[in-house]
Amino acid sequence: MKKLNTTTLAKLRKGGVWIPSPLALDADRKPAEKWQRLLTLYYIRAGARTVVPGAHTGEFSGGDLAIYGYWLRLIKEMVGSYGSREMFLMAAVSGKQYMKQAELAARTGYDIVMLAPTAFTTKSDAQVVRIFRDVASVIPVFGFELQALVPGSREFTYGLWEKIFRIVEGAKSAPFNTYRAQTMLEAAAHSRKRERLVLVTGNDDRIVSDLGGIFPFKVGAKTVRMEYAGGLLGHFATDTHAAVRWSGAVREAKKGKRWTLPVSDKELAHIVNMCNGALFDAKNDFANSVWGVKYRLASLGLLPGPYCFHERGRKGLAEEIDRAYGYHPVISDREFLADNLTTMQREVGLRS
């Protein structure tokens, strides 16, 4: 099985803000390269540690291998040209083409892939483990539990996590269910690899409590305390500079350092959750979760519009998102983009 080298693993262990990148599309639902470059440059300048193509926020590349390959190459090029040495390259692989995607990511020079459950939704536990081993034979792999309301989700039992953790470098917990998230943490705590495993949260409904949490488990005679190193979730795909700031403050406060934000941690948790409820269309069973992220990005000038392969939004959702992001500037990138957007547009050829 392929394993991360010590240097790259150390980058993952630093956690921080990991971005499941949206796919920039034009009004004809075709890839918009200059806008994709702008969006990627924004994430880099905002302080993201990795920008992940092919995830749910990018509609799994529409199942198109050519689009997936184009996206891999573009992000690698942008990170190589503009990114810091602290960044790493992760891609998501999913669906029936998961193995072809993993091989393409390996050939393109990516460090690791996150294996989405859409690759094995209906498979037995033994078949799931086999798929993880197959992917790990060509490139290091990261686990991922997706929330139940997203098509392609699958529940991960303690026993399944136990086997997966023998193979992977870490995992993203995104079931939007406290008890399922605890199952992953407990399995990681009991894993012989727990000191190596990198765990990140994808639970948009409780990011602040996840990032600020310490999760103790009894392992034999001792107590093992698990934590999330960072987050890989749709909320970070917009207003990223603000997310880097507030999530960093949460993680630093967990270490006992002074709280640096103008709102309390309790207020922050509420404000962030209000944004997520609107951004992901939670009241409508997440039917427009990708559209919501793209609408917010378009309103900030980072996409040409909220164009998706399938989602079209719904009446009143745009107003809900605008209202939620107006609660407090601590979660907004309007000021950051007022200072930086024009320069970034010029750099990618969207402005002369």
Side-chain angles (χ1 to χ4, degrees):
M1 293 186 294
K2 300 287 185 180
K3 296 292 183 182
L4 288 174
N5 61 46
T6 303
T7 301
T8 307
L9 179 61
K11 293 179 182 180
L12 268 70
R13 294 187 66 82
K14 290 181 180 178
V17 168
W18 302 8
I19 308 296
S21 178
L23 179 62
L25 301 174
D26 63 20
D28 296 321
R29 274 69 186 178
K30 301 295 183 184
E33 182 177 336
K34 288 183 179 180
W35 287 97
Q36 194 73 58
R37 290 183 181 278
L38 175 64
L39 190 59
T40 306
L41 182 58
Y42 159 66
Y43 292 140
I44 293 169
R45 294 275 166 82
R49 298 297 306 285
T50 189
V51 182
V52 182
H56 167 252
T57 315
E59 298 180 278
F60 300 116
S61 305
D64 188 313
L65 196 61
I67 290 177
Y68 183 78
Y70 139 82
W71 203 359
L72 289 175
R73 293 186 293 272
L74 185 150
I75 287 180
K76 183 186 179 186
E77 177 194 333
M78 294 296 291
V79 170
S81 297
Y82 298 99
S84 75
R85 292 184 178 181
E86 293 301 308
M87 295 188 72
F88 61 93
L89 291 170
M90 172 185 274
V93 299
S94 61
K96 295 179 180 179
Q97 298 189 93
Y98 71 89
M99 201 64 201
K100 291 181 179 178
Q101 290 177 343
E103 291 167 348
L104 185 52
R107 288 198 303 272
T108 308
Y110 274 66
D111 298 308
I112 189 169
V113 295
M114 179 176 67
L115 179 58
T118 54
F120 49 74
T121 303
T122 60
K123 304 293 185 182
S124 68
D125 283 5
Q127 289 172 314
V128 171
V129 173
R130 180 71 262 171
I131 288 171
F132 269 95
R133 289 191 180 278
D134 287 345
V135 173
S137 71
V138 299
I139 188 170
V141 64
F142 206 76
F144 172 24
E145 184 175 12
L146 185 61
Q147 66 138 314
L149 288 173
V150 174
S153 176
R154 182 196 199 280
E155 185 170 359
F156 287 57
T157 63
Y158 178 93
L160 181 55
W161 273 124
E162 188 178 40
K163 294 179 177 68
I164 289 172
F165 281 139
R166 298 172 190 168
I167 303 166
V168 301
E169 302 287 353
K172 167 185 171 176
S173 172
F176 284 40
N177 180 306
T178 297
Y179 308 109
R180 283 171 61 178
Q182 288 173 341
T183 297
M184 188 199 83
L185 290 166
E186 184 177 15
H190 283 82
S191 171
R192 293 180 181 178
K193 291 175 55 183
R194 69 170 173 266
E195 299 300 328
R196 180 183 175 91
L197 293 172
V198 179
L199 305 179
V200 296
T201 179
N203 293 310
D204 298 88
D205 59 343
R206 59 176 189 283
I207 313 172
V208 175
S209 59
D210 271 4
L211 292 177
I214 299 173
F215 309 96
F217 297 94
K218 271 291 185 183
V219 179
K222 66 179 181 178
T223 299
V224 172
R225 292 173 175 82
M226 305 301 294
E227 300 180 33
Y228 292 110
L232 170 57
L233 62 174
H235 180 87
F236 286 169
T238 185
D239 298 271
T240 306
H241 186 262
V244 168
R245 182 186 177 215
W246 67 250
S247 66
V250 171
R251 294 167 63 219
E252 289 298 301
K254 181 168 62 174
K255 299 175 185 176
K257 296 188 178 180
R258 184 176 63 87
W259 184 252
T260 58
L261 299 180
V263 296
S264 71
D265 57 342
K266 303 297 190 298
E267 291 174 297
L268 177 68
H270 168 71
I271 294 166
V272 171
N273 284 346
M274 288 296 292
C275 283
N276 288 331
L279 195 67
F280 302 114
D281 199 15
K283 297 173 185 176
N284 193 34
D285 289 340
F286 304 92
N288 294 285
S289 57
V290 178
W291 187 93
V293 172
K294 287 191 169 184
Y295 167 78
R296 176 61 182 176
L297 288 168
S299 75
L300 293 171
L302 292 161
L303 285 178
Y307 306 125
C308 304
F309 288 125
H310 305 293
E311 298 177 14
R312 296 295 185 270
R314 64 168 171 81
K315 185 178 179 180
L317 183 56
E319 290 77 11
E320 289 178 29
I321 294 169
D322 291 343
R323 189 165 62 250
Y325 274 93
Y327 278 124
H328 199 284
V330 73
I331 54 167
S332 175
D333 269 3
R334 294 242 177 242
E335 184 175 334
F336 172 76
L337 287 166
D339 293 336
N340 294 281
L341 182 58
T342 299
T343 298
M344 292 190 292
Q345 288 172 330
R346 288 196 181 104
E347 287 180 90
V348 300
L350 280 170
R351 185 188 288 262
S352 59

